[in-house]
């Protein structure tokens, strides 16, 4: 399991799925050994990184590493 990040989660979002969408998310959560909420959060963050609305994990790690060197 991945270590928790220091940044706290401050907002909640409620989503509504069709029955088919819910069953697909439920099946994917079981396949990846994640909770439904964790899977939806991971997928949303992955999508936001793909469309460049969030920095990618690797770039963020490099920036943090550079800041420590200064």
């Amino acid at each position: 399991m991945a270590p928790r990040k220091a940044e706290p989660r401050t907002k909640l979002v409620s989503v509504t799925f069709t029955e088919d969408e819910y069953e697909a998310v439920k099946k994917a959560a079981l396949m990846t050994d994640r909770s439904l909420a964790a899977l939806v959060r991971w997928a949303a963050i992955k999508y936001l990184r793909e469309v460049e609305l969030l920095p990618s994990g690797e770039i963020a790690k490099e920036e943090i590493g550079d800041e420590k060197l200064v």
Side-chain angles (χ1 to χ4, degrees):
M1 188 155 253
R4 293 184 177 248
K5 295 186 177 189
E7 187 177 320
R9 298 179 194 162
T10 57
K11 303 280 182 180
L12 295 176
V13 177
S14 178
V15 297
T16 303
F17 294 110
T18 64
E19 288 184 25
D20 291 340
E21 292 166 342
Y22 178 81
E23 289 302 319
V25 171
K26 185 177 171 183
K27 183 177 179 180
L30 288 172
M31 291 171 54
T32 59
D33 197 29
R34 295 176 188 252
S35 67
L36 292 169
L39 179 71
V40 172
R41 181 178 184 272
W42 171 83
I45 290 171
K46 181 176 170 106
Y47 172 76
L48 292 171
R49 287 182 176 153
E50 286 178 4
V51 296
E52 299 179 357
L53 291 174
L54 283 176
S56 72
E58 293 177 13
I59 293 172
K61 288 178 186 176
E62 290 174 12
E63 290 174 358
I64 292 169
D66 292 343
E67 289 173 6
K68 289 181 180 179
L69 295 174
V70 174

